[in-house]
Amino acid sequence: ALLQASQYVQEDFAILSSEPPVKLIAGAVCFPSRWNIKAKMGLDSDGIHGPVPKFKETIAKPAETFLEKISVEKPMQRFNWTLHDTDHIFTPFPEEGRKDLTADNILDSTYVRYERQTLRRMPQTKAVLFT
């Protein structure tokens, strides 16, 4: 069903386990933003977001609690943005930042990546679907 759904919509799908600690257990990701689903499989939120600066010290615990408490009755959404130094939408691996960016060329050489993300607990399995 996951493969079929991923062929009909533009969203990426990540399925997180129903039991704490919530871990990545399946997914179909067509537009990764500097991460690789195979490398993140089986990891919890802290492990998935390991490369994010200050994630562990600031929001790792609240994020874990949030994922554990999402209810079937109340799906959630958020908007996320990042700056990229490439216009490629398929970037499955972290890359070292470009060294050629200057005050004179940065606006012509960077791109805002904006995403609408949803999280919902599935009624039968109690797994969390992240799109």
Side-chain angles (χ1 to χ4, degrees):
L2 179 62
L3 176 61
Q4 188 174 15
S6 71
Q7 293 173 342
Y8 288 101
V9 298
Q10 68 179 6
E11 269 67 47
D12 291 335
F13 295 101
I15 299 177
L16 309 172
S17 63
S18 59
E19 298 296 320
V22 175
K23 296 181 179 181
L24 179 63
I25 58 172
V29 178
C30 298
F31 307 109
S33 180
R34 306 284 163 93
W35 71 287
N36 181 305
I37 193 167
K38 286 182 182 180
K40 303 295 183 175
M41 198 60 62
L43 298 180
D44 62 8
S45 179
D46 192 20
I48 291 169
H49 294 94
V52 177
K54 298 188 180 184
F55 181 86
K56 188 172 186 80
E57 303 82 28
T58 57
I59 63 170
K61 188 60 179 164
E64 178 183 340
T65 301
F66 172 79
L67 290 171
E68 291 172 1
K69 294 187 181 277
I70 291 174
S71 69
V72 171
E73 299 79 23
K74 190 174 179 186
M76 305 297 287
Q77 74 173 346
R78 73 180 197 145
F79 297 91
N80 188 40
W81 63 271
T82 54
L83 293 176
H84 277 239
D85 56 7
T86 178
D87 62 349
H88 299 155
I89 60 173
F90 180 75
T91 55
F93 301 103
E95 297 176 14
E96 187 174 327
R98 288 177 43 189
K99 305 288 188 217
D100 64 319
L101 297 177
T102 67
D104 293 328
N105 71 7
I106 196 162
L107 293 178
D108 294 325
S109 302
T110 55
Y111 304 84
V112 176
R113 181 176 174 132
Y114 185 77
E115 300 173 338
R116 175 183 174 264
Q117 301 171 337
T118 66
L119 297 108
R120 66 193 73 224
R121 187 161 307 275
M122 305 308 290
Q124 292 180 336
T125 66
K126 304 301 184 221
V128 174
L129 174 64
F130 175 90
T131 68

